[in-house]
Amino acid sequence: MDPLAAQNPKSIQDMFGVISKKYDLANSILSFGIHHLWKNTLIRHSGLKKGDRILDCATGTGDLAFLFEKRLAGSGEVVGTDFCEPMLDVAREKTQVKSSQVSFRHADVMNLPFQDHEFNVASISFGIRNVQDTQKALSELGRVVKRGGRVLVLEFGQPHSAVIQWGYEFYSKKILPRVGGWISGQPKAYEYLQSSSAAYPCGDEFLAIAAKTGRFEKMRWIRFQSGIAYLYILERAGE
Ligand SMILES: C[S@@+](CC[C@H](N)C(=O)[O-])C[C@H]1O[C@@H](n2cnc3c(N)ncnc32)[C@H](O)[C@@H]1O
């Protein structure tokens, strides 16, 4: 499978729609909670300041958006967007429980309904490998961020240590679809997670795609657990 081949947006929407109610539970069990640590690292590298406007795209059930809001401590504004309504419904239900002010809106990350330079920070976690055109999505994220602001991308990659690669492959091919399927009733969604992550560009290869947008002047990555996941920190050109 060509990892950058066009994903069918309708099937992606349907897939997340079906698992939306079980998404958080499956995520926490299958990642042993580690995704919270990765997301907290993303926030630490966002350069966010009190009063900032933050956009979290492909927000899903809003995990990262709520973490940003907590860090802003009552100042600024957080907007979460996704193109799957059932995922957004779960996020909106969570705003009631958390007394949160995060606003959740329907939007495709490849065509964001915002003006240029509206946000100080924009993020996308575990969403970019699902989009039809990685470069276009990164360009949109860069467009809506202010000059000097940051785009943060968290995404799966491939471990570079052979031992970890072997263990991770066993886990993601044999365990993940079974346990994910058992929790959500949709093993296919967790087979897709494995297949879509296995060959998705990571590290410098991903930064080469980001560079083609011409929107970022500084770019770097941080590798988690030998490359199971990567955080990309893209700084918007000051112009
Ligand atoms: C694996 S979930 C990640 C959710 C959340 N960001 C997290 O870290 O838990 C991927 C999300 O990306 C969304 N998504 C995929 N393609 C999208 C697109 N083109 N525009 C907006 N959202 C998209 C899906 O609807 C889904 O909610």
Side-chain angles (χ1 to χ4, degrees):
M1 182 178 118
D2 175 356
L4 285 178
Q7 307 290 338
N8 175 347
K10 176 75 172 71
S11 60
I12 296 283
Q13 279 169 322
D14 289 348
M15 182 180 76
F16 284 105
V18 172
I19 63 170
S20 58
K21 294 250 184 306
K22 300 286 173 157
Y23 177 83
D24 284 344
L25 178 65
N27 218 8
S28 291
I29 292 176
L30 292 167
S31 79
F32 308 103
I34 289 173
H35 72 106
H36 294 302
L37 299 179
W38 296 341
K39 284 172 179 162
N40 275 311
T41 306
L42 180 156
I43 303 239
R44 280 205 305 282
H45 286 274
S46 66
L48 113 175
K49 296 179 295 306
K50 290 264 165 75
D52 276 356
R53 288 195 78 208
I54 315 282
L55 174 67
D56 182 41
C57 293
T59 192
T61 58
D63 238 23
L64 185 56
F66 292 124
L67 277 180
F68 270 121
E69 182 183 48
K70 197 168 161 201
R71 197 56 73 97
L72 283 173
S75 69
E77 184 192 359
V78 182
V79 179
T81 60
D82 201 287
F83 74 171
C84 175
E85 274 302 322
M87 290 290 268
L88 288 172
D89 287 343
V90 175
R92 288 180 189 119
E93 277 164 27
K94 283 157 74 176
T95 59
Q96 317 280 320
V97 182
K98 292 174 180 284
S99 302
S100 162
Q101 301 301 311
V102 176
S103 59
F104 288 103
R105 293 177 55 174
H106 186 109
D108 190 325
V109 67
M110 295 209 306
N111 186 17
L112 291 170
F114 303 107
Q115 305 289 316
D116 295 358
H117 315 305
E118 271 199 49
F119 296 92
N120 302 88
V121 173
S123 60
I124 181 163
S125 75
F126 304 112
I128 196 124
R129 76 177 188 287
N130 300 304
V131 306
Q132 280 190 296
D133 183 338
T134 298
Q135 187 181 326
K136 171 89 174 80
L138 289 173
S139 181
E140 272 296 87
L141 287 159
R143 179 184 68 75
V144 299
V145 163
K146 290 184 200 298
R147 295 183 173 103
R150 286 187 191 170
V151 170
L152 290 307
V153 181
L154 187 55
E155 192 49 89
F156 291 113
Q158 299 90 44
H160 75 296
S161 140
V163 177
I164 294 183
Q165 166 84 39
W166 180 85
Y168 181 60
E169 219 176 281
F170 178 81
Y171 173 75
S172 53
K173 279 190 178 157
K174 304 281 180 211
I175 315 270
L176 200 112
R178 280 199 194 141
V179 180
W182 173 65
I183 298 169
S184 68
Q186 300 293 321
K188 286 261 174 284
Y190 292 88
E191 281 165 22
Y192 167 77
L193 192 160
Q194 190 278 328
S195 61
S196 60
S197 308
Y200 192 71
C202 63
D204 290 342
E205 222 185 311
F206 184 89
L207 292 189
I209 301 169
K212 283 192 202 150
T213 66
R215 300 239 193 238
F216 307 108
E217 71 177 356
K218 284 194 204 150
M219 302 183 296
R220 64 196 170 97
W221 51 257
I222 294 172
R223 192 158 50 199
F224 299 115
Q225 274 73 35
S226 168
I228 288 176
Y230 280 75
L231 170 64
Y232 302 97
I233 303 154
L234 314 174
E235 290 186 32
R236 182 75 165 88
E239 283 155 287

